Amino acid sequence: MRQADRQAGPPVDAPADERGRGGLALLRDRRFGPYFFGSLASNTGTWFQNVAAILTIFALTRSAFMVGLVTALQFAMQLVLAPVIGALADRTDRRLLIIVGQTLGGTAAAVLALLAFLDALNPWLLLTFIGLSGVGQAITGPAAQALVPNIVGRADVAQAIALHSLTFNLSRAIGPVAGAATYAVAGAGTAFAVNAASFLVFALALTGVRLPRSGDGTRARGRLGVFGGVAYVRQQPELVRCLVAVALIGLAMEPINTLSPLFAEGFGGGELLVGIFITFFGVGSALIAGWVGKLRRTVGSGRTGALGVAALGAGMVVLAVSPGPVVATVGIAVGGAGYLLAVSDVNATMQQGLADAVRGRVMALWSMCFLGIRPGAAMLHGWLGDTFSARTGAFVAAVSAMAAAVVLRGRLTRSRSATGPVQEEWQAR
């Protein structure tokens, strides 16, 4: 049996207890547990690097546009590489792709640390190695999204996706303030070194994950390139709605990164306040994470996402009109809760009934829409902050969130009966 067939994991439509396992049971799973904690370590380290890079370039240039450029370079390669990585994720070992991406990101972080320790870091070197780190993220992203349903059974997919999303938001709750404190106490070099080590942790965790055999051996087939994913999505209009929504969500949440230094400076704060702002976005996300499944069962898919983006928009409005850092922090936390709720709901809706033969390419489209929009969003909000004000950028983000709520206003119904024929057709290609 080919390696690609062996790593495909259990079919997501295999018979299983429809209730699935709870979050704690999944965390104890010998496959999902190491994946979750390794991903959490890597994402937390990435926030150490993000905050250190933002603070470093703002200190060197005093420009919100340059801060936006740092964020842009982290995600620009999603647009370039996601189609190729998505196709590879449907034909090769997804776990190996993640390890390659983590190794590349860790190497870039280690070089940044060395340059910072030698006091040789300037804006252009910083931007160069942040861009290389972005290449590692582009390699990791689609493969990591597509791997989750291969690790667990179909009944556990929604909970596993919520936990996978939680790793990003727990790291957002831990990493920014810790990264800002590390930057203030020990300098940017130490923060970059922590990130380099975190990549190694995730790579080692993945080497110990043994995936079960696939029963059908069909995942490696399919047309090479992202166009196979585009053709699949075109057959299912609800997937198009999901992709439009995640692009708008990516645009709406970007001010938390790009404009936090301007907001903190306007409130008379420094590096620690920047870390607090970014951290409380993650705190809000972590507090709502346990309610995602219940809300999806009660309110329904799509409507749960619409509720989330409405909360994200409301949080951005509170941030825009806030008279001081306390009210701003409350708005940011509300926005973070809405963000997690929306992203988890839309992601789970997309993955439900998705043919594994094209999962990597469809999730590459997800990465292109959600992460690929971030470079333009970061530069837009940076320009708005420099030209007008940080509050203007927050208002624009609120408008984007409300547009996403309109897209998700109906109930998404990607049921097995609706997706079955399409899935069977693509599983056979």
Side-chain angles (χ1 to χ4, degrees):
M1 184 176 291
R2 291 170 296 178
Q3 183 182 32
D5 294 340
R6 290 197 305 269
Q7 78 92 41
V12 292
D13 291 316
D17 180 358
E18 291 298 325
R19 294 177 301 171
R21 289 176 288 176
L24 290 178
L26 275 177
L27 293 179
R28 291 193 295 267
D29 184 274
R30 62 186 176 85
R31 292 185 295 269
F32 186 78
Y35 178 87
F36 174 88
F37 289 107
S39 178
L40 178 60
S42 178
N43 291 330
T44 301
T46 297
W47 277 110
F48 271 71
Q49 174 168 298
N50 289 349
V51 170
I54 286 171
L55 293 173
T56 298
I57 203 150
F58 191 68
L60 291 171
T61 66
R62 313 306 297 178
S63 169
F65 179 81
M66 293 296 286
V67 173
L69 191 56
V70 168
T71 302
L73 285 172
Q74 294 179 62
F75 299 107
M77 295 309 295
Q78 296 287 343
L79 292 174
V80 178
L81 292 179
V84 177
I85 299 303
L88 287 174
D90 285 333
R91 301 173 65 88
T92 61
D93 189 334
R94 292 168 179 166
R95 185 182 50 173
L96 178 60
L97 283 177
I98 299 172
I99 292 173
V100 169
Q102 294 293 291
T103 301
L104 180 58
T107 301
V111 174
L112 280 173
L114 179 61
L115 290 171
F117 285 134
L118 295 175
D119 198 23
L121 201 55
N122 60 50
W124 304 113
L125 282 173
L126 177 63
L127 292 173
T128 297
F129 286 99
I130 288 294
L132 289 175
S133 180
V135 173
Q137 292 182 34
I139 294 172
T140 298
Q145 293 281 358
L147 183 65
V148 172
N150 299 147
I151 297 176
V152 299
R154 182 183 60 80
D156 292 323
V157 167
Q159 183 63 62
I161 288 172
L163 288 172
H164 178 63
S165 298
L166 185 59
T167 63
F168 296 97
N169 294 283
L170 280 176
S171 67
R172 189 186 286 269
I174 299 167
V177 70
T182 300
Y183 176 91
V185 173
T190 302
F192 294 140
V194 169
N195 186 41
S198 75
F199 281 118
L200 179 62
V201 169
F202 192 21
L204 290 175
L206 282 174
T207 60
V209 175
R210 295 290 176 261
L211 298 177
R213 294 175 181 270
S214 171
D216 54 27
T218 60
R219 189 187 65 78
R221 300 176 190 166
R223 285 177 283 174
L224 182 65
V226 74
F227 297 106
V230 172
Y232 183 90
V233 167
R234 287 178 61 187
Q235 296 180 42
Q236 302 186 64
E238 288 181 347
L239 287 179
V240 177
R241 291 173 60 194
C242 289
L243 292 174
V244 172
V246 299
L248 291 168
I249 292 168
L251 181 61
M253 58 84 66
E254 182 53 43
I256 303 304
N257 294 328
T258 303
L259 298 178
S260 284
L262 280 182
F263 272 110
E265 188 174 63
F267 293 138
E271 294 91 348
L272 186 58
L273 186 57
V274 174
I276 289 172
F277 282 161
I278 300 175
T279 289
F280 268 83
F281 193 83
V283 169
S285 299
L287 291 176
I288 200 65
W291 296 90
V292 172
K294 184 175 182 180
L295 284 170
R296 293 190 87 235
R297 291 190 296 269
T298 304
V299 180
S301 62
R303 293 176 182 170
T304 300
L307 176 64
V309 288
L312 173 57
M316 292 301 98
V317 170
V318 171
L319 174 62
V321 302
S322 57
V326 174
V327 175
T329 302
V330 171
I332 287 170
V334 171
Y339 160 80
L340 187 280
L341 190 61
V343 167
S344 296
D345 178 63
V346 177
N347 193 322
T349 299
M350 286 191 66
Q351 297 252 26
Q352 180 182 349
L354 190 62
D356 200 58
V358 76
R359 189 181 302 276
R361 282 166 286 181
V362 172
M363 297 318 294
L365 294 175
W366 164 281
S367 294
M368 291 174 70
C369 291
F370 182 53
L371 299 177
I373 198 173
R374 298 281 296 277
M379 297 180 73
L380 170 64
H381 287 300
W383 175 78
L384 289 171
D386 283 341
T387 306
F388 300 100
S389 69
R391 298 179 187 274
T392 302
F395 273 123
V396 170
V399 172
S400 302
M402 293 307 150
V406 172
V407 172
L408 295 173
R409 66 188 183 280
R411 182 184 179 92
L412 297 179
T413 55
R414 281 181 51 76
S415 66
R416 291 181 62 192
S417 60
T419 60
V422 176
Q423 180 177 0
E424 291 170 4
E425 173 192 351
W426 280 84
Q427 198 69 33
R429 292 190 181 192

